[in-house]
């Protein structure tokens, strides 16, 4: 038994003994454009088993998983013979759906998260609000059309799709940088750390809102 599996087993055991529900989401999403299966554990160790058919997107999702400490299994077969749009967008939507499902009613969490993460010369900032109001504002300051086989505009659109399906408010900005790979990776890492902060338990059972709800609170 490897150490990561044992760590997850012990986490499940001790959380169950404390009466704490593990936060898990499963999504199976099929269209004429993509076929996706996804499993997400919010309370994980940062393990990833990701295959989207787009190498750089896999790299970004692995970084997101690692630094958010979530566990992610994602397999997507998409119409990459057309372009990368449907695959990237639908993976973002599926991840957002699983995140929302896993979180359930946003109760006993910090709700807000923020992070600055560097990668060499690049620095990115992410700010998250588990608000129930989907709103995404993404500016990664790319200066090239592609990184690997993914178009850079789709990396921003992935975050927008994730935020929409998750029902969260999300701001991600690259503050400085010259290398586009570094900008993207800093942004995904900042998002990961901000999410980790926002979903962390605060030791209460309260809904962190003066409205008394964070579900569909438009």
């Amino acid at each position: 038994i490897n150490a990561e599996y044992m760590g997850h087993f012990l986490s499940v055991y001790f959380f169950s003994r404390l009466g704490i529900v593990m936060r898990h989401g499963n999504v199976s999403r099929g269209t004429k454009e993509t076929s996706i299966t996804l499993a997400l554990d919010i309370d994980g160790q940062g393990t990833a088993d990701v295959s989207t058919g787009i190498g750089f997107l896999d790299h970004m999702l692995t970084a997101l998983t690692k630094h958010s400490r979530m566990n992610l299994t994602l397999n997507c077969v998409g119409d990459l013979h057309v372009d990368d749009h449907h695959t990237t967008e639908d993976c973002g939507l599926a991840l957002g759906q699983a995140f929302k499902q896993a979180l359930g009613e946003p109760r006993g969490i910090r709700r807000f998260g923020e992070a600055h993460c560097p990668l060499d010369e690049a620095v990115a900032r992410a700010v998250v609000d588990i608000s129930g109001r989907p709103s995404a504002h993404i500016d990664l300051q790319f200066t090239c059309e592609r990184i690997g086989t993914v178009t850079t505009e789709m990396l921003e659109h992935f975050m927008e799709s994730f935020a929409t399906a998750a029902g969260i408010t999300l701001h991600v900005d690259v503050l400085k940088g010259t290398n586009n790979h570094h900008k993207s990776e800093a942004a995904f890492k900042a998002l990961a750390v901000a999410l980790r902060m926002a979903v962390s338990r605060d030791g209460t059972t309260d809904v962190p809102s003066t409205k008394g709800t964070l579900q569909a609170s438009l």
Side-chain angles (χ1 to χ4, degrees), residues 3-19:
E4 288 180 346
Y5 177 85
M6 180 57 71
H8 182 62
F9 174 82
L10 291 173
S11 295
V12 171
Y13 174 77
F14 285 115
F15 276 155
S16 64
R17 290 292 298 270
L18 293 172

Side-chain angles (χ1 to χ4, degrees), residues 118-133:
L119 180 54
D120 295 347
E121 87 298 341
V123 179
R125 175 186 62 210
V127 183
V128 171
D129 178 8
I130 311 295
S131 61
R133 298 185 301 277

Side-chain angles (χ1 to χ4, degrees), residues 20-86:
I20 298 173
V21 177
M22 296 294 288
R23 297 173 291 182
H24 181 81
N26 281 293
V27 170
S28 180
R29 191 176 192 277
T31 70
K32 292 182 178 180
E33 298 165 344
T34 60
S35 176
I36 297 172
T37 56
L38 187 153
L40 179 72
D41 286 302
I42 288 180
D43 306 296
Q45 290 76 44
T47 62
D49 181 5
V50 176
S51 177
T52 66
I54 303 173
F56 190 76
L57 182 59
D58 291 355
H59 180 41
M60 293 300 96
L61 290 176
T62 299
L64 177 67
T65 303
K66 179 67 174 181
H67 296 285
S68 66
R69 302 299 293 168
M70 300 181 193
N71 292 348
L72 174 65
T73 301
L74 188 161
N75 184 74
C76 175
V77 178
D79 57 356
L80 293 175
H81 63 283
V82 176
D83 64 11
D84 59 338
H85 186 103
H86 300 139

Side-chain angles (χ1 to χ4, degrees), residues 141-177:
Q141 295 288 317
F142 290 126
T143 56
C144 66
E145 183 178 345
R146 289 181 176 273
I147 305 175
T149 59
V150 67
T151 50
T152 49
E153 68 177 357
M154 288 311 302
L155 294 169
E156 294 185 333
H157 189 55
F158 173 90
M159 292 186 179
E160 293 166 351
S161 300
F162 167 72
T164 298
I168 66 174
T169 299
L170 176 62
H171 294 258
V172 184
D173 298 277
V174 167
L175 305 180
K176 61 185 298 186

Side-chain angles (χ1 to χ4, degrees), residues 100 131-135 164 167-169 211 213-218:
K100 186 173 184 178
S131 61
R133 298 185 301 277
S135 181
T164 298
I168 66 174
T169 299
K211 293 181 179 181
T213 181
L214 287 172
Q215 295 180 320
S217 55
L218 296 174

